[in-house]
């Protein structure tokens, strides 16, 4: 017979399943999901250990312009656990559903700002919707930028379209404060969310990140190219830059370059 804790854990797993499948749906727990329970519990355990022992690392991926010169870097968090590297897709959703996204998010921002101070490179960090909406988020960025003497235009934060769901006044206020502090704002995975395009007009955004799923289909699927051309054209009309994720072939590079990405 199941204990109360077993039932709560099973409900948790069913909830994760619903979220994975796009939210707003009912998922019944089934025995076959047992494997998922262990995965979630393992991720949470690893995460709590990483927070306690400071065993996160940041990796940096270059962002280049049309002449292939490095203009900035995007930072990616990893956990180094038991001689193994654990990637964000294995633990970020667990961090968001527990209280751990706060310390993880702060760790990333502070270490990225420290790296900016050390190298004077521009660096972007990914900020989750949960983190962005937390109280004290703006104040924390302000403190860290002052502490590491980060000049305007050096720190960029990347937010997905899901961030603009909620109180638009609060969102507008936070975007405005970030701009005043000299933080650049990017919308990540653009074109894969459900948001209205109205926010592009009303919020002080600097650039759109074209999702890697469109980039990897370039040359294989004509509709991917049409979508990319549309995003770039719209961004240009709105005075925004575009950055394409996951460019891996010469062919993809040339198409993006020709379209002004």
């Amino acid at each position: 017979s199941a204990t109360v804790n077993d039932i709560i854990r099973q409900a948790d797993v069913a909830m994760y399943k619903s979220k994975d499948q796009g939210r707003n749906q009912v998922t019944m727990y089934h025995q076959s999901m047992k494997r998922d329970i262990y995965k979630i519990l393992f991720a949470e355990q690893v995460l709590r250990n990483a927070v306690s022992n400071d065993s996160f690392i940041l990796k940096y991926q270059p962002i280049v312009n049309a002449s292939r010169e490095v203009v900035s870097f995007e930072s990616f968090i990893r956990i180094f656990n038991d001689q193994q590297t654990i990637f964000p897709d294995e633990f970020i959703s667990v961090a968001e559903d527990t209280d751990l996204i706060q310390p993880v998010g702060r760790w990333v921002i502070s270490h990225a700002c420290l790296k900016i101070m050390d190298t004077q490179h521009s660096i972007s960090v990914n900020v989750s919707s949960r983190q962005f909406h937390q109280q004290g988020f703006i104040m924390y960025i302000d403190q860290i930028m002052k502490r590491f003497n980060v000049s305007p235009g050096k720190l960029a934060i990347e937010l997905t379209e899901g961030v603009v769901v909620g109180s638009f006044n609060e969102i507008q206020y936070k975007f405005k404060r970030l701009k005043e502090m000299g933080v650049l704002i990017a919308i990540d995975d653009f074109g894969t969310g459900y948001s209205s395009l109205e926010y592009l007009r009303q919020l002080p955004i600097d650039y759109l990140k074209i999702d890697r799923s469109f980039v990897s289909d370039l040359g294989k699927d004509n509709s991917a190219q049409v979508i990319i051309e549309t995003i770039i054209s719209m961004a240009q009309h709105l005075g925004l830059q575009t950055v394409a994720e996951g460019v891996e072939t010469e062919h993809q590079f040339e198409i993006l370059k020709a379209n002004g990405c």
Side-chain angles (χ1 to χ4, degrees), residues 2 7 30 43 58 80 88 91 93 122 156 168 176-177 180 191 199 202 204 207 213 238 242 256 261:
I7 293 168
H30 186 266
L58 275 188
F80 196 63
F91 63 84
S93 62
S122 298
F168 201 69
K176 191 167 149 279
R177 284 286 295 117
E180 286 164 1
Y199 73 89
Q202 295 194 32
Y207 59 101
S213 59
L238 291 166
T242 46
L256 290 159
C261 180

Side-chain angles (χ1 to χ4, degrees), residues 1-196:
S1 68
T3 66
V4 171
N5 282 346
D6 290 338
I7 293 168
I8 289 171
R9 209 170 283 149
Q10 291 168 1
D12 247 2
V13 171
M15 177 192 70
Y16 277 104
K17 207 75 178 161
S18 281
K19 285 185 171 179
D20 273 354
Q21 291 164 354
R23 299 173 182 259
N24 290 340
Q25 55 189 297
V26 175
T27 305
M28 301 295 282
Y29 176 78
H30 186 266
Q31 232 16 62
S32 64
M33 295 180 190
K34 208 167 190 166
R35 216 178 57 248
D36 298 338
I37 290 187
Y38 293 120
K39 257 171 63 177
I40 290 166
L41 290 177
F42 173 73
E44 189 173 337
Q45 191 55 51
V46 165
L47 202 48
R48 289 195 187 279
N49 290 344
V51 169
S52 306
N53 306 326
D54 198 22
S55 48
F56 295 111
I57 40 180
L58 275 188
K59 295 283 186 186
Y60 297 93
Q61 190 167 355
I63 299 174
V64 301
N65 64 16
S67 315
R68 297 176 198 260
E69 298 155 343
V70 174
V71 288
S72 70
F73 291 87
E74 180 176 356
S75 59
F76 294 97
I77 189 171
R78 307 278 185 263
I79 293 175
F80 196 63
N81 176 68
D82 208 9
Q83 305 301 306
Q84 256 187 327
T85 302
I86 300 174
F87 295 90
D89 53 356
E90 297 174 61
F91 63 84
I92 288 296
S93 62
V94 176
E96 288 194 311
D97 286 318
T98 57
D99 51 347
L100 295 168
I101 196 66
Q102 183 105 314
V104 173
R106 290 183 167 194
W107 188 93
V108 172
I109 290 163
S110 60
H111 280 73
C113 287
L114 175 64
K115 186 64 88 176
I116 293 170
M117 183 178 78
D118 282 350
T119 62
Q120 288 308 306
H121 287 309
S122 298
I123 293 175
S124 68
V125 298
N126 292 283
V127 169
S128 80
S129 179
R130 172 73 66 94
Q131 199 184 336
F132 177 83
H133 287 295
Q134 265 166 348
Q135 240 183 341
F137 170 70
I138 300 290
M139 203 164 70
Y140 184 74
I141 290 192
D142 194 30
Q143 284 167 355
I144 290 293
M145 284 178 76
K146 285 180 176 143
R147 186 166 136 205
F148 294 117
N149 204 12
V150 173
S151 9
K154 288 286 187 194
L155 175 69
I157 67 166
E158 300 191 5
L159 303 157
T160 59
E161 293 170 85
V163 98
V164 293
V165 176
S167 154
F168 201 69
N169 285 348
E170 176 221 355
I171 293 155
Q172 252 178 332
Y173 168 77
K174 285 189 170 177
F175 271 62
K176 191 167 149 279
R177 284 286 295 117
L178 288 166
K179 294 310 310 165
E180 286 164 1
M181 284 150 51
V183 176
L184 300 178
I185 300 171
I187 300 296
D188 200 9
D189 305 335
F190 185 76
T192 60
Y194 305 110
S195 300
S196 135

Side-chain angles (χ1 to χ4, degrees), residues 219-247:
K220 292 183 271 184
D221 173 2
N222 189 43
S223 65
Q225 186 161 338
V226 171
I227 289 170
I228 286 177
E229 286 170 1
T230 307
I231 292 172
I232 294 171
S233 161
M234 181 178 67
Q236 285 169 342
H237 285 299
L238 291 166
L240 306 175
Q241 299 272 353
T242 46
V243 174
E245 299 175 336
V247 183

